[in-house]
């Protein structure tokens, strides 16, 4: 299935392992949050360049202190109607300051791509014969947004008042 | 009234275009119904018993002549020349073809309207007091904040796939006419001890199969912090609300299962953890800009009473009776608000024909500064009418068949569409409403009874708000036959309460006679003509009324 990074078809050789790192190098696998935390707590190993896959019920705060060791976070959408992944993404990007790859996997459909991008996903695994074209079209449908989010869009509230003193923090 | 600027206009147009593409992909078969469903729902399109239904948003129930005429044109062109106003201050069209939907959305956009987020598991149309900006008892007009919330919640990327639908209501701080305590979030404008105006935040109210009155999560939050606080609540709900069972997915269940204290601390923790980057920044100038749209019209200096109106009332008994029930007090002397009942005897509650919509638009333009509201009671409201003009307004409403004199009375029934339209229904709502109206059609009897709210739902989903009627009626299905349970003692105001089921369900034909006995019992037991039905019920308890209800069997 095509992996898109910033809307461009790309590839990734890591494979998901639900049984921890095993003998694999950290850079070859994607592990569960549980495996990652186990690894962090064993002072012996403490890998770097780790990739973690979060389930919707996982608490991203548990990663917050170790984000330096993480180069990829996958967030799973078991069903596209399960919107918890959007909160996870916003937390990782805006609260915990995660800057590396954030990838949506699972049931990723065209009409959620724009929400995903706004929430901070820079990569998606998206199945479509013209994945790049559809992605570009989908994320371009709305040219402005009322809210600030984890993308670089400036909220309409602010765009209407360039230079105005913010009332939101007083 | 708020008017779209280029940003609002653009987004609504782009959304209509986006939906056009989705409908095309659906019609061509590229998009399976399963994947189309949430998209059409977020654009207000339901698949009903006979056809697709389109629910158009009327943000906080605010209309003007241009919008109402636009709705009338849609009713004529794409539907059967009428529309149905809902308890969420929206309007529904029951007979629009899917192929026509994109065009209808374009036409809505032409008059500054849309169907965005009127269904689906997202933040729905924000509702408010239909007398906002006119009521004498409000702390402040809530509509600017309704508009701000509308904008903030539109296409919110984090909160578009919530566990379940989410409804926010805002009241201006006086008597609660927006039922804020039975909403997912209810906001009430109020002053803190320093006299600064902010909001009380109520959370976890709701009707449906497990009705709850909301709890206060915050006594007071300042205006600049409001949206950030709402984001904190929404995030707690999005992350922790149940997704394993759609009947347990509303925020009321989360509040209840966690307990009020735990829920509150989760929200407060989340709110406290927001960093500068996460706060919703709302420039003060932007608040001012939006508030300016809702500035009250320049009221003429007028005496508090109008001799013209008084004289006309003396001469015309129909006008007098209508004025008694349908006029509401206004903050400006010499002015009134008018409740225009959409509950004539024998019609579907909340329905209006396209001709009636146009008549309302004309009357509003001529006598009410173009200001029209939809009330959650499924009636319409004209907010700023000079008392002098009331006789002329009455005459014009009469011509349009809109002068039913039952505002807030027993025949001003809230009822969902029920089995006639809805594919979830257990029983008919409209015909049972009509049978009750017929039983109480004697104006003298209705006058004697005074204010009494009667609400009917065709199934447990409670779209007719049966839990919060002084008398509530719920349609149930017993082995393929329609039965109706009666509830007593609900109310939707600042003393919100959930009605209690009186006992076994009654047959369709038995409901009206049974309610007649109940009302007769009330008339014989009340301490004075001033004691309303709900007051008497609260004083005496259910027992005498329950006894009267079942007296025939
Ligand atoms: S209460 Fe039930 S029958 Fe009535 S509109 Fe809602 S879902 Fe349909």
């Amino acid at each position: 299935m095509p992996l898109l990074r910033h809307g461009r078809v790309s590839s990734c050789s890591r494979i998901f392992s639900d049984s921890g790192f095993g003998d694999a190098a950290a850079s070859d696998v994607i592990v569960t949050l549980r495996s990652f935390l186990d690894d962090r707590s064993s002072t012996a190993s403490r890998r770097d360049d780790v990739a973690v896959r979060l389930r919707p019920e996982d608490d991203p705060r548990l990663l917050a202190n170790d984000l330096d060791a993480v180069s990829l976070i996958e967030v799973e959408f078991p069903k596209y109607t399960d919107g918890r992944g959007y909160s996870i993404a916003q937390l990782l990007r805006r609260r915990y300051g995660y800057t590396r790859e954030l990838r949506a996997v699972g049931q990723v459909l065209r009409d959620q791509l724009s929400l995903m991008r706004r929430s901070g996903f820079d990569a998606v695994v998206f199945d479509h014969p013209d994945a790049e074209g559809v992605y570009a079209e989908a994320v371009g449908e709305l040219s402005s947004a009322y809210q600030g989010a984890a993308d670089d869009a400036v909220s309409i509230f602010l765009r209407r008042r360039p230079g105005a003193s913010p009332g939101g923090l007083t | 009234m708020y008017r779209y600027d280029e940003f609002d206009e653009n987004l609504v147009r782009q959304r209509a275009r986006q939906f056009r593409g989705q409908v095309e992909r659906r019609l061509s078969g590229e998009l399976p119904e399963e994947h189309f469903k949430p998209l059409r729902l977020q654009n207000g399109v339901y698949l009903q018993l006979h056809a697709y239904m389109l629910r158009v948003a009327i943000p906080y129930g605010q209309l003007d002549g241009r919008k109402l005429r636009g709705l009338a044109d849609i009713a004529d062109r794409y539907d059967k020349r009428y529309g149905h106003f809902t308890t969420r201050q929206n309007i529904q069209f029951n007979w629009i073809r899917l192929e026509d939907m994109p065009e209808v959305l374009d036409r809505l956009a032409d008059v500054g309207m849309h169907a965005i987020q009127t269904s689906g598991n997202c933040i729905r149309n924000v509702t408010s007091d239909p007398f906002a900006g006119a009521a004498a008892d409000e702390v402040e007009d809530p509509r600017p904040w309704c508009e701000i919330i509308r904008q903030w919640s539109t296409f919110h990327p984090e909160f578009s796939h919530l566990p379940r639908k989410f409804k926010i209501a805002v009241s201006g701080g006086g008597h609660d006419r927006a039922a804020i305590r039975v909403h997912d979030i209810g906001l009430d404008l109020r002053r803190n001890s320093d006299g600064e105006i902010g909001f009380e935040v109520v959370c976890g109210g709701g009707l449906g199969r497990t009705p709850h009155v909301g709890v206060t999560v915050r006594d007071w939050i300042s205006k600049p912090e409001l949206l950030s606080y709402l984001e904190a609540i929404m995030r707690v709900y999005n992350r922790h609300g149940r997704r394993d069972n759609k009947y347990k997915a509303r925020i009321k269940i989360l509040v209840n299962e966690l307990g009020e204290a735990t829920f509150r601390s989760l929200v407060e923790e989340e709110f406290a953890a927001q960093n500068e980057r996460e706060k919703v920044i709302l420039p003060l100038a932007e608040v001012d800009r939006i508030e300016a749209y809702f500035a009250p019209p320049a009221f003429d200096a007028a005496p508090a009473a109008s001799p013209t109106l008084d004289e006309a009332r003396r001469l015309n008994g129909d006008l007098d009776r209508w004025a008694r029930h349908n006029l509401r007090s206004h903050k400006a002397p010499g002015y009134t608000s008018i409740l225009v009942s959409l509950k004539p005897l024998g019609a579907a509650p909340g329905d209006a024909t396209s001709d009636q919509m146009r008549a309302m638009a004309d009357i509003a333009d001529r006598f009410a500064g173009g200001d029209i509201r939809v009330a959650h009671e499924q009636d319409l409201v004209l907010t700023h009418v000079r008392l002098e003009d009331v006789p002329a307004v009455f005459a014009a409403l009469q011509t349009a068949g809109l002068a039913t004199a039952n505002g807030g009375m027993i025949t001003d029934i809230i009822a969902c569409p029920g089995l006639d339209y809805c594919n979830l229904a257990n029983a008919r709502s409209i015909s049972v409403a009509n049978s009750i109206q017929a039983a109480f059609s004697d104006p003298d009897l209705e006058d004697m009874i005074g204010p009494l709210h009667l609400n009917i739902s065709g199934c447990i989903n409670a779209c007719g708000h049966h839990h919060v009627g002084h008398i509530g009626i719920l349609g149930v299905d017993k082995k393929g036959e329609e039965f109706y349970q009666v509830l007593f003692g609900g109310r939707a105001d600042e003393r919100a309460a959930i009605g209690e089921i009186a006992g076994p369900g009654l047959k369709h034909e038995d409901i009206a006679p049974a309610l007649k006995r109940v009302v007769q019992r009330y008339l014989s037991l009340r301490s004075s003509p001033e004691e309303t039905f709900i007051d008497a019920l609260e004083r005496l308890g259910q027992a005498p009324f329950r006894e009267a209800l079942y007296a025939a069997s």
Side-chain angles (χ1 to χ4, degrees), chain A residues 87 95 141 146-147 160 167, chain B residues 5 8 18 154 158 286:
Chain A
S87 288
R95 185 159 304 162
E141 275 173 337
Y146 285 112
Q147 324 73 10
R160 283 181 181 135
Chain B
D5 71 354
D8 303 306
Q18 184 184 47
T154 298
E158 188 176 344
E286 178 59 4

Side-chain angles (χ1 to χ4, degrees), chain B residues 337-392:
Chain B
S337 292
I338 296 177
L339 191 138
V340 178
S341 167
L342 295 181
K343 319 289 176 58
L345 301 191
D351 278 7
T353 66
S354 52
D355 289 341
Q356 288 177 324
M357 293 182 213
R358 286 194 193 90
M360 267 303 281
D362 293 345
I363 295 168
D365 281 347
R366 192 151 160 230
F367 297 108
D371 195 330
I372 306 152
R373 316 285 176 86
V374 184
H376 79 84
E377 292 87 351
Q378 302 175 287
D379 292 316
L380 299 176
V381 168
L382 295 164
T383 31
H384 309 299
V385 179
R386 290 171 2 144
L387 287 174
E388 295 284 316
D389 292 331
V390 166

Side-chain angles (χ1 to χ4, degrees), chain B residues 443-499:
Chain B
D444 294 333
L445 173 61
E446 192 165 31
D447 286 358
M448 208 185 329
I449 301 166
L452 199 168
H453 298 165
L454 198 151
N455 299 357
I456 305 174
S457 303
C459 81
I460 193 80
N461 287 318
C463 305
H465 296 183
H466 65 277
H467 298 111
V468 291
H470 301 160
I471 297 175
I473 295 177
L474 165 65
V476 291
D477 174 280
K478 249 204 239 158
K479 301 194 185 99
E481 215 190 322
E482 296 164 295
F483 274 84
Y484 295 88
Q485 286 183 336
V486 175
L487 294 80
F488 287 125
R491 54 198 298 169
D493 59 6
E494 61 279 3
R495 291 169 56 203
I498 304 298

Side-chain angles (χ1 to χ4, degrees), chain B residues 416-419 422-427 429 456-464:
Chain B
C416 77
L419 201 52
C422 174
N423 55 12
L424 301 171
N426 286 327
S429 310
I456 305 174
S457 303
C459 81
I460 193 80
N461 287 318
C463 305

